[in-house]
Amino acid sequence: MNKKFLASSVVVLILLCGLSPARALGLEQEALEPTVQTLDPEAQESFTRGLRLYRNRNFREAMSEFSRVSESQPDRADVHYLIGYCHLMLKEFGPSVDAFHRSFDKDPEFDPRMIYKNRK
């Protein structure tokens, strides 16, 4: 099956079920943790600010921070996925699907569940 078709299908199913991607994956948003350490301190600061905004459901500003990271580190699949999620929550479905596709184009083995860590 085509990965782009699969990614689009997942987004549609999530929307139809009314679930957030984190909930659809059985994960909590509060457990979001950075999974990739960067060498660029400015990009890491933007990523950390983006995560804080993301947790507070301030998706427009979080997307802005994640976009800064993607400019300096364009191959980070996790950042593109988070940008896609922000677009999704803002009901910007076309850009959301595009960002999810970019995420899997950058890393075909990318597993979004790795962005989240379960806390017990």
Side-chain angles (χ1 to χ4, degrees), residues 1-13:
M1 183 179 290
N2 183 327
K3 287 188 180 192
K4 288 185 179 185
F5 175 77
L6 182 60
S8 299
S9 299
V10 169
V11 170
V12 169
L13 286 173

Side-chain angles (χ1 to χ4, degrees), residues 22-64:
R23 182 164 291 182
L25 294 170
L27 306 165
E28 297 296 323
Q29 271 190 335
E30 294 82 87
L32 184 70
E33 293 294 335
T35 58
V36 177
Q37 293 297 321
T38 64
L39 300 175
D40 179 4
E42 287 182 34
Q44 185 60 40
E45 287 177 25
S46 288
F47 189 74
T48 301
R49 277 191 305 271
L51 289 177
R52 190 176 329 110
L53 292 162
Y54 176 94
R55 285 186 190 115
N56 292 325
R57 302 184 61 78
N58 190 337
F59 299 112
R60 178 82 52 209
E61 289 184 37
M63 187 170 40
S64 176

Side-chain angles (χ1 to χ4, degrees), residues 59-67 83 86-87 90 92:
F59 299 112
R60 178 82 52 209
E61 289 184 37
M63 187 170 40
S64 176
E65 294 296 332
F66 294 139
S67 293
I83 291 170
C86 290
H87 278 297
L90 294 168
E92 298 170 347

Side-chain angles (χ1 to χ4, degrees), residues 83-97:
I83 291 170
Y85 180 82
C86 290
H87 278 297
L88 179 65
M89 296 310 294
L90 294 168
K91 298 188 183 336
E92 298 170 347
F93 304 120
S96 175
V97 171

